Amino acid sequence: MPSYTLTNLEDAAKHAVGKPGGFDTGNSASNCANLALDYLINAHPWSWRLESTTLNLVSGQNYVALPTDFSEIVYLRGGTSTSTAVIPTTLDRIFQMRQQAVSSSSTFIHYAVTQTDQANGTSLATYQIDIYPTPSASTTAAMQLGYMKQIAQFTGGTQVANIPGHMQGTLWWLTRGYAEITENNQPGLNWQQAMQDIEQRKKRDAQTQPVVGRLRGTVEQISYDDEDRFPASTVTV
């Protein structure tokens, strides 16, 4: 399977519009590659974006940092060593419970996904979950997280996109398609080919991992009798 560096994709973009010296519009070939990558990532809930990890509770800390490549929650439940049910709610409700010191059973953790501030003007914001109640003891692997990961954009000429090999060709067509749109103000044959490729990849993706099921957003509705969220043992919160 081919793998294309940013430089390869830049050359493809310039070739698509017959302008090896650069674009007339002030746009860049590298921008076309990053636009294409962003489009491809968000065209479908690809199974290869699904990651899983465990989250720790820290005594006295009312939030839990999420992985740096976090994009969207697929599931969040109590860890294998706890009997805690993890309940999605709103940030406003979290604040209300904290302010009112709402009594909460040790078998429940309420959470809301929030975005942190940028560390500086060039870094991306990260995500965390605010939780209630605040843990009174630290617990390792207190929660199991399934999430859709972000895919880093291109920053250097030798970089290859962090996508499966069978998606590289689709990215190549998309990059050429974005070059056509940028320079000619309308999609062309490259864009049509990219759309056909994406539809084919969607079918293949469903066959690759058909058990993923319906992907859920950052707040999902569950019932307290959802046995999937009640593993064995206990956790102190």
Side-chain angles (χ1 to χ4, degrees):
M1 293 181 183
S3 62
Y4 298 104
T5 65
L6 174 58
T7 298
N8 296 148
L9 294 173
E10 288 175 328
D11 291 342
K14 295 172 185 177
H15 178 268
V17 292
K19 297 177 180 177
F23 293 174
D24 297 334
T25 58
N27 190 24
S28 66
S30 62
N31 188 49
C32 288
N34 277 321
L35 286 172
L37 179 59
D38 184 67
Y39 185 97
L40 180 60
I41 292 166
N42 293 288
H44 180 72
W46 306 106
S47 62
W48 43 265
R49 287 185 59 204
L50 181 63
E51 293 283 350
S52 62
T53 188
T54 58
L55 301 177
N56 303 330
L57 293 177
V58 178
S59 177
Q61 181 173 289
N62 62 5
Y63 68 91
V64 179
L66 295 176
T68 55
D69 63 348
F70 170 85
S71 175
E72 180 184 3
I73 285 182
V74 177
Y75 62 82
L76 182 62
R77 59 175 68 99
T80 55
S81 63
T82 74
S83 60
T84 298
V86 184
I87 311 299
T89 187
T90 63
L91 188 59
D92 178 60
R93 179 58 179 157
I94 293 285
F95 288 156
Q96 288 181 16
M97 289 190 288
R98 289 174 181 171
Q99 184 179 32
Q100 299 170 9
V102 173
S103 176
S104 178
S105 167
S106 62
T107 59
F108 295 97
I109 292 179
H110 302 268
Y111 79 90
V113 179
T114 58
Q115 181 176 293
T116 65
D117 292 331
Q118 288 178 293
N120 51 59
T122 58
S123 64
L124 293 175
T126 56
Y127 293 89
Q128 66 184 33
I129 54 170
D130 279 57
I131 59 175
Y132 186 85
T134 301
S136 59
S138 297
T139 305
T140 301
M143 291 176 281
Q144 295 178 328
L145 170 68
Y147 68 99
M148 302 297 279
K149 65 182 179 181
Q150 299 181 47
I151 305 297
Q153 291 201 316
F154 292 106
T155 56
T158 59
Q159 184 179 355
V160 175
N162 183 26
I163 61 177
H166 66 270
M167 302 298 295
Q168 294 282 337
T170 307
L171 178 60
W172 189 82
W173 285 112
L174 268 175
T175 302
R176 291 174 61 89
Y178 264 105
E180 290 176 329
I181 293 172
T182 300
E183 292 299 286
N184 303 330
N185 296 317
Q186 62 181 358
L189 294 177
N190 290 286
W191 185 262
Q192 294 176 23
Q193 181 62 51
M195 296 301 102
Q196 291 176 14
D197 268 24
I198 287 175
E199 290 305 311
Q200 292 174 357
R201 302 307 178 191
K202 287 179 181 178
K203 295 177 182 178
R204 176 173 177 176
D205 192 67
Q207 295 169 353
T208 300
Q209 197 170 18
V211 296
V212 170
R214 181 177 64 86
L215 298 180
R216 302 168 179 172
T218 54
V219 177
E220 53 185 341
Q221 299 297 321
I222 66 168
S223 61
Y224 285 3
D225 60 354
D226 187 347
E227 295 180 358
D228 192 38
R229 297 175 181 270
F230 290 84
S233 191
T234 59
V235 59
T236 304
V237 294

